[in-house]
């Protein structure tokens, strides 16, 4: 069993410039679109992590060819699509693999078996599998492991789903929709739809690949219609993963230091961009500064401590562990709501955050759709990660100003950010 990682303790102001690898969300969407494209594609600055490697392996098992080229610190992926065959897909714990790849498997020439980590077998899957059945695809099973019986084509049509548990159900259907004979219309009929920026990213990338997407939003439902047609091969340039940048920016906020992230996009659909407003509302100074041909984001934490925050995080749930860690160091109460869907992520993040914060002496209360954190002195102890990369990074943030915090299984961060522990230590040591 791996020994716990002693989180570096550094309550004094941290000053650092931190380069962040590419976006997992953009990389995995680009992988799907290039696998289904009419011609070859190139992905510039692709993230290499467990989740993206699982996506590449899943598509390779069905016959897509990937060639990796390293140019300095940058990774280019050349993708050669072709006729898809049957195979076996290991989803690991990657929600994008288990929700984005099954629609692709409908266009294989034979069966594709899906399985994953033991914890992944608990994640909700019936929404997208039932949707595929409604679009004319044969599927055996309702959770991992399951089998999609590819036949090389599928009718498509209109399907109604409740995607309130995950926006990935919508994105997964839309990414492959142009390959269905009649296209696909996805109608969301459930409650609040979480993580809207991820759907916006999907639509923007589809349109960049020449796919016709129409969106409609009414009081009773939202819908997206994708017309059948070709998906263009092209060059995709991947932005830095802004959600992975948030722990490093949080380090500046909790220590009163300054952290700079280069190549921050001035316009983006990434949910992580919302950290700018969150940190400002908590008292940090946040600036986009010109940095050569691009911009850097510079965050300086307040010298007199952070303010608490009350915020609906339904669109930006993936930032919850970072914001919760910040809230434990604030001078006033914080209430994070709109995140009931986090109970179905890598772990039940609401229960996990509550348990771990309270175990270190904090005061965190689980709410029906969120958490309330009241300031309370923390002490050292073991912070469990629950095989959840964002839980692990939250423990690292808390450890900066709480002596004696040890993070269990820090290597779970390799899911989206391999080498996190070394990057974090390097930042702390200057």
């Amino acid at each position: 069993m791996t020994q716990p990682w002693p989180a570096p303790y550094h309550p004094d102001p941290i000053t650092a410039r931190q380069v962040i690898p590419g976006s997992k969300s953009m990389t995995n969407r680009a992988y799907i679109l290039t696998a289904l494209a009419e011609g070859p594609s190139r992905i510039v600055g692709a993230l290499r992590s467990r989740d993206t490697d699982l996506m590449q392996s899943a598509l390779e098992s069905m016959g897509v060819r990937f060639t990796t080229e390293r140019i300095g610190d940058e990774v280019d992926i050349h993708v050669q699509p072709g006729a898809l065959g049957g195979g076996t897909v290991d989803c690991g714990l990657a929600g994008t693999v288990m929700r984005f790849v099954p629609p692709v498997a409908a266009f294989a020439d034979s069966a594709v078996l899906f399985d994953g980590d033991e914890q992944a077998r608990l994640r909700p899957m019936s929404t997208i599998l039932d949707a595929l059945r409604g679009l004319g695809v044969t599927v055996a099973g309702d959770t991992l492991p399951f089998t999609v019986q590819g036949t090389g084509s599928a009718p498509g049509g209109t399907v109604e789903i409740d995607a309130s548990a995950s926006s990935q159900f919508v994105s997964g259907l839309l990414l492959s929709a142009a390959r269905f004979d009649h296209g696909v219309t996805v109608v969301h009929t459930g409650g609040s739809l979480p993580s809207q920026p991820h759907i916006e990213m999907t639509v923007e990338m589809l349109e960049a690949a020449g796919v016709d997407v129409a969106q409609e939003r009414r009081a009773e439902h939202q819908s997206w219609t994708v017309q059948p047609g070709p998906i263009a091969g092209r060059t995709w340039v991947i932005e830095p993963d802004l959600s992975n940048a948030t722990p490093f920016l949080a380090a500046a906020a909790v220590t009163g230091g300054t952290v700079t992230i280069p190549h921050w996009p001035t316009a983006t659909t990434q949910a992580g961009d919302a950290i700018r407003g969150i940190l400002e509302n908590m008292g940090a100074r946040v600036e986009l500064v010109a940095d050569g041909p691009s911009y850097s984001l510079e965050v300086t934490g307040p010298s007199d401590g952070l303010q608490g925050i009350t915020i609906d995080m339904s669109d930006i749930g993936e930032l919850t562990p970072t914001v919760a860690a910040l809230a434990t160091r604030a001078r006033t109460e914080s209430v994070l709501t709109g995140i009931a869907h986090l109970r179905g992520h890598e772990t039940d993040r609401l229960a996990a955050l509550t348990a771990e914060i309270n175990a270190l002496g904090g005061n965190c209360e689980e709410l029906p759709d969120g958490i309330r954190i009241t300031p309370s002195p923390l002490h050292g102890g073991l912070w469990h990660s629950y095989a959840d990369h964002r839980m692990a990074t939250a423990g690292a943030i808390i450890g900066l100003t709480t002596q004696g915090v040890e993070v269990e299984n820090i290597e779970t961060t390799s899911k989206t950010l391999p080498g996190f522990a070394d990057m974090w230590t390097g930042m702390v040591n200057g």
Side-chain angles (χ1 to χ4, degrees), residues 143-184:
T143 58
L144 290 169
F146 61 84
T147 300
V148 175
Q149 183 62 53
T151 58
S153 65
T158 298
V159 63
E160 294 186 353
I161 66 171
D162 178 357
S164 55
S166 175
S167 66
Q168 290 176 351
F169 296 130
V170 175
S171 289
L173 292 168
L174 295 182
L175 286 166
S176 297
R179 287 288 301 271
F180 284 80
D181 295 344
H182 305 295
V184 172

Side-chain angles (χ1 to χ4, degrees), residues 17 25 103 105 129 159 245 265 298 320 376 405 425:
R17 179 181 174 89
S25 297
L129 299 182
V159 63
E298 184 178 280
T320 300
S376 181
V405 173
T425 302

